[in-house]
Amino acid sequence: MKAKSIKGRSVEEVSSALEQSMTYDFKPTLAIVFISIKQDRNAVCKILSDKGIDVAGATSCGEFINGYQDQGSIVILLLDLHRDAYSIFFRDVGNRDLAEVAKKLAHNALQKFNTPAFILLSTGMSKEGIVFNGEELINNLSKEFGGKVNIYGGMAGDDYSFTGSYVFTNHNHTDMGAVALVLDEEKMGLLGNAISGWQAVGTIKTVTKSEDDWVYTIDGQPAPEMYLKYLGKQSKTDEELKTLYEDIGLFYPFQVIDSADPVMRTPMMIDKERNAIKFDFPIPQGTKLQFSMPPDFDIVENVLADADQLRNTNRFEAEALLIFSCAGRLNALGPLTNSENDGLHEIWKAPMAGFFTYGEFGKGKKDRPEFHSTTCCWVALKEK
Amino acid sequence: MNQNLQNILKLVEESEALSAEQKKSVADWIKEVDKTITVTEFKLDRTEKVKKTTAILLEETIQELELKRKAVQETNDALHKSLEELKATQQQLIQSEKMASLGELTAGIAHEIQNPLNFVNNFSEVSSELIDEMTEELKKGNMEDAQAIANEIKMSLEKITVHGKRADGIVKSMLQHSRTSTGKKEPTDINALADEYLRLAYHGMRAKDKIFNSAMKTDFDESIGLVKIISQDIGRVVLNLITNAFYAVNEKKKLNLNGYEPTVTVTTKKTGNKVEIIVKDNGIGIPQKALDKIFQPFFTTKPTGQGTGLGLSLSYDIVTKSHGGEIKVDTREGEYTCFSIILPV
């Protein structure tokens, strides 16, 4: 497999970069596209389709390739890979049962390959503001394989606009669904990891009144008041509260600690009339949670040291690298995300592309694929 | 890029003194410095943000911890109060158990008092008749006979005194039994204590159940002498064990087994620096499944209303905690039960 990563701030720039990348010994068959919603993804897909290149893509909250990071742009990882080694499945999920979707996806993948692995791109939030339940999708998909499957990927972003995020192939796109790039693990090797670094702080609190993804009271106190007070943000205006997610939600998510594995739940917005906080996922009454603080600056070194150790332990030489980094990292780590992403590229020394996500899929501390948020999730690829 | 760095970069680019290669190197250095400045600025900004949040969180956490500390303190106080109440209730229960056993003894005590009283009455009547006789003899001027009768009266009055004291002793003993223990160990004749409670318990049973009967055997080691114990408490233990033994043989007797002779044996013996009081019966025995619970408070195999379930539990505490001794049980269901109280001398 050969790989190249290209970028552009416009369709023309990408078209030009694509032309330059295609040489007599590099004829890409597959393009993994991460693109801002501000860009014309149909035009990009047409250019790629015209070149006979298959497309699996997602919209983003910031895009990057080796040595370049931007917002509002287009990045593409081009792979010159035999078509026997992969297959792309598009699923417009809508209101369908995700367990059923996952089951069929697993069935289709197994019909194609004995040992399938997944690069899974799902939508983040629909035009109507409904958050896609990536957690349910990956849990069900993983369950179909008894947890013994490689799944890496991310949930599409929309430049924090909450106007709808998309996944797409050459001719299809949806704001409520997923694109699965299924790889044949008999021909392809994958190695990846997901690390967060956010730490729980303060005392354990209980959700005392909630309805779906709206939380009204925590420990008997109005949730917005408590959240903003804790974060020293009482003076926020109504307008500022609507963009809570970008401003502080990503910075200070809650850690739900009911289960053995704490999960992050992100405040999306505050509705002053309702006097409630809207979260990215439903929070049942009685849920125990803690505030969490962004990681220390040395998290970047930790992510890189961990990747280096994995590379050495597994003696894995990558030919391409994908990174799915939580949009919250961009806020919490700022320019250090450059160091994180470029650092990973330095370790693997392979063409890289990635985007800032609304959620990540991958193996973390446990040896099975999971849904994450706040993580830097990466996967190195090579042809066997 | 930082404005000052931009100015330097511009100067370098316009400079004719530097080669193109040198210009590129300087430009790279400037970019690196700019990157470092950007990262440092961000770190400072975030540190400030996090510092503020952490301070608020810390303050709130301290407040919450203080609230929780107060709640823990209140719970602690409530627990302490409950414990005191529990202790008081326990004392009341102990007293109730004592009174219950006293009730069981009433009939036996009445029987014990009846004997001396009979003697007192009889000798009083005899004394009265003797005085009449003596008066007659004195009228006759028969001084010798009058003197002899006076001697008989004196002997009779001495017997009244003896039996009066016996009755007095029994009443005192009963009062002592019902009184709260002083907790003071005093030299006690263990054999006399065991014998007394055996008889009291027997008559108690007889009073409650007229057809009750059981052989009583004693085998007392006379070498024991006086042993320092809290006699009221050990008395209660012995009484409890003997009452249980009588209950067990009575229950077995109700089965009408051929040739069954109910027997309760009380033995005392001294072994080295230990004294043992053994109460053995050939009654119904204790079921194996109940054996590990018999010393638990409120556990009883007796029908409702017939046992408090505190007797053996209190006995266990008296022997082990107050006297540093042991209480052991050996039993076979349907055949026998043998309790041993082992006390250090």
Side-chain angles (χ1 to χ4, degrees), chain A residues 201-203 205 229-232 251-252 291 293-297 331-336, chain B residues 35 38-39 42-44 46-47 49-54 56-57 60-61 63-65 68:
Chain A
V201 288
T203 50
K205 301 176 188 309
K229 184 183 164 200
Y230 264 78
L231 304 176
F251 214 76
Y252 302 107
F291 281 105
M293 298 280 277
D296 289 335
F297 299 122
N331 278 35
L333 297 171
L336 293 172
Chain B
K35 197 175 154 188
T38 308
V39 168
F42 174 80
K43 281 184 175 179
L44 269 173
R46 212 200 83 168
T47 304
K49 223 176 184 179
V50 171
K51 200 171 81 183
K52 199 174 161 190
T53 308
T54 311
I56 296 166
L57 269 172
E60 294 283 336
T61 306
Q63 279 173 16
E64 284 209 33
L65 284 175
K68 282 181 180 161

Side-chain angles (χ1 to χ4, degrees), chain A residues 30-31 44 67 70 101 110 117 144 184 186 191 231 253-254 313:
Chain A
L30 174 62
V44 172
D70 206 349
V101 170
L110 282 165
E144 294 297 322
D184 181 1
E186 286 173 3
L191 184 68
L231 304 176
F254 282 98
T313 311

Side-chain angles (χ1 to χ4, degrees), chain A residues 43-115:
Chain A
V44 172
C45 285
K46 187 173 185 312
I47 292 166
L48 291 164
S49 298
D50 288 346
K51 298 279 183 195
I53 300 170
D54 298 325
V55 172
T59 55
S60 54
C61 282
E63 310 77 32
F64 48 86
I65 60 169
N66 28 295
Y68 169 85
Q69 185 170 304
D70 206 349
Q71 279 181 290
S73 69
I74 309 158
V75 299
I76 303 175
L77 183 69
L78 294 165
L79 300 177
D80 183 353
L81 177 65
H82 200 283
R83 286 195 157 90
D84 285 353
Y86 72 88
S87 193
I88 297 170
F89 295 95
F90 174 83
R91 294 287 182 269
D92 189 1
V93 174
N95 293 326
R96 279 188 292 154
D97 177 28
L98 280 171
E100 206 48 44
V101 170
K103 197 173 181 179
K104 278 186 185 160
L105 184 58
H107 179 73
N108 290 343
L110 282 165
Q111 274 183 328
K112 197 86 185 162
F113 306 119
N114 290 330
T115 318

Side-chain angles (χ1 to χ4, degrees), chain A residues 127-345:
Chain A
K127 280 182 290 187
E128 287 76 29
I130 300 164
V131 175
F132 185 81
N133 198 334
E135 188 169 13
E136 203 180 326
L137 177 66
I138 191 171
N139 286 348
N140 279 295
L141 188 57
S142 171
K143 202 169 84 182
E144 294 297 322
F145 297 91
K148 306 281 180 204
V149 61
N150 274 312
I151 306 173
Y152 292 94
M155 290 171 73
D158 56 7
D159 295 321
Y160 307 104
S161 66
F162 305 117
T163 52
S165 59
Y166 298 84
V167 292
F168 52 90
T169 57
N170 294 68
H171 306 292
N172 293 305
H173 73 273
T174 177
D175 66 342
M176 187 51 88
V179 167
L181 167 62
V182 182
L183 301 170
D184 181 1
E185 266 211 78
E186 286 173 3
K187 297 189 179 77
M188 296 288 293
L190 290 89
L191 184 68
N193 199 15
I195 293 181
S196 166
W198 258 257
Q199 296 157 335
V201 288
T203 50
I204 295 169
K205 301 176 188 309
T206 309
V207 173
T208 39
K209 189 184 172 195
S210 69
E211 201 180 286
D212 297 329
D213 42 9
W214 286 97
V215 172
Y216 292 87
T217 59
I218 297 170
D219 280 350
Q221 293 178 51
E225 192 185 300
M226 170 181 252
Y227 185 63
L228 295 173
K229 184 183 164 200
Y230 264 78
L231 304 176
K233 301 276 182 184
Q234 292 102 315
S235 56
K236 288 264 150 188
T237 64
D238 289 8
E239 208 48 44
E240 284 170 326
L241 292 178
K242 284 180 188 161
T243 56
L244 178 77
Y245 177 75
E246 191 182 350
D247 187 25
I248 54 174
L250 285 170
F251 214 76
Y252 302 107
F254 282 98
Q255 222 173 78
V256 171
I257 52 167
D258 279 350
S259 61
D261 311 310
V263 288
M264 295 291 184
R265 290 288 179 257
T266 310
M268 306 294 287
M269 63 177 285
I270 284 176
D271 187 325
K272 271 202 167 177
E273 275 181 30
R274 273 183 190 242
N275 201 18
I277 304 178
K278 184 181 166 67
F279 280 78
D280 52 350
F281 287 98
I283 306 225
Q285 234 162 258
T287 300
K288 302 270 181 212
L289 39 79
Q290 265 180 294
F291 281 105
S292 68
M293 298 280 277
D296 289 335
F297 299 122
D298 61 5
I299 186 64
V300 174
E301 281 88 63
N302 293 346
V303 168
L304 300 181
D306 176 80
D308 200 34
Q309 194 188 353
L310 270 176
R311 188 180 67 96
N312 292 331
T313 311
N314 293 280
R315 296 170 187 275
F316 194 96
E317 296 299 329
E319 290 166 337
L321 177 67
L322 286 168
I323 300 175
F324 309 96
S325 186
C326 177
R329 294 184 93 76
L330 193 54
N331 278 35
L333 297 171
L336 293 172
T337 52
N338 273 320
S339 310
E340 193 165 74
N341 298 330
D342 283 342
L344 284 169
H345 168 252

Side-chain angles (χ1 to χ4, degrees), chain B residues 5-170:
Chain B
L5 288 177
Q6 279 184 39
N7 295 340
I8 296 169
L9 191 61
K10 197 178 167 197
L11 271 178
V12 169
E13 276 164 3
E14 287 167 359
S15 165
E16 289 171 7
L18 294 169
S19 68
E21 201 179 326
Q22 283 171 325
K23 282 180 185 176
K24 191 183 175 302
S25 292
V26 175
D28 286 346
W29 295 336
I30 288 171
K31 276 177 193 163
E32 202 54 44
V33 170
D34 182 57
K35 197 175 154 188
T36 308
I37 290 171
T38 308
V39 168
T40 309
E41 276 174 354
F42 174 80
K43 281 184 175 179
L44 269 173
D45 180 54
R46 212 200 83 168
T47 304
E48 199 52 44
K49 223 176 184 179
V50 171
K51 200 171 81 183
K52 199 174 161 190
T53 308
T54 311
I56 296 166
L57 269 172
L58 190 66
E59 195 184 308
E60 294 283 336
T61 306
I62 289 168
Q63 279 173 16
E64 284 209 33
L65 284 175
E66 180 57 24
L67 284 176
K68 282 181 180 161
R69 192 196 63 75
K70 276 184 186 160
V72 167
Q73 180 67 47
E74 279 166 17
T75 311
N76 222 5
D77 291 346
L79 277 174
H80 190 70
K81 200 180 159 199
S82 297
L83 189 67
E84 289 302 315
E85 283 170 6
L86 199 67
K87 276 181 183 169
T89 310
Q90 198 182 20
Q91 281 305 315
Q92 278 173 8
L93 275 173
I94 290 169
Q95 191 62 19
S96 303
E97 170 66 14
K98 225 185 262 182
M99 297 314 284
S101 65
L102 187 68
E104 297 216 348
L105 282 179
T106 309
I109 290 163
H111 181 270
E112 286 293 294
I113 293 173
Q114 194 59 51
N115 278 340
L117 278 179
N118 286 343
F119 280 111
V120 169
N121 289 338
N122 290 340
F123 284 111
S124 296
E125 281 173 25
V126 169
S127 299
S128 176
E129 284 166 13
L130 285 172
I131 288 167
D132 289 346
E133 282 177 29
M134 192 176 72
T135 311
E136 285 298 315
E137 292 303 325
L138 284 172
K139 277 181 186 169
K140 289 175 193 170
N142 197 347
M143 292 303 287
E144 206 171 307
D145 284 348
Q147 185 59 45
I149 293 168
N151 288 343
E152 274 183 48
I153 292 170
K154 194 183 176 199
M155 279 168 63
S156 181
L157 288 174
E158 279 171 359
K159 280 179 183 165
I160 288 172
T161 308
V162 166
H163 289 288
K165 281 183 178 167
R166 168 74 185 139
D168 181 57
I170 291 165

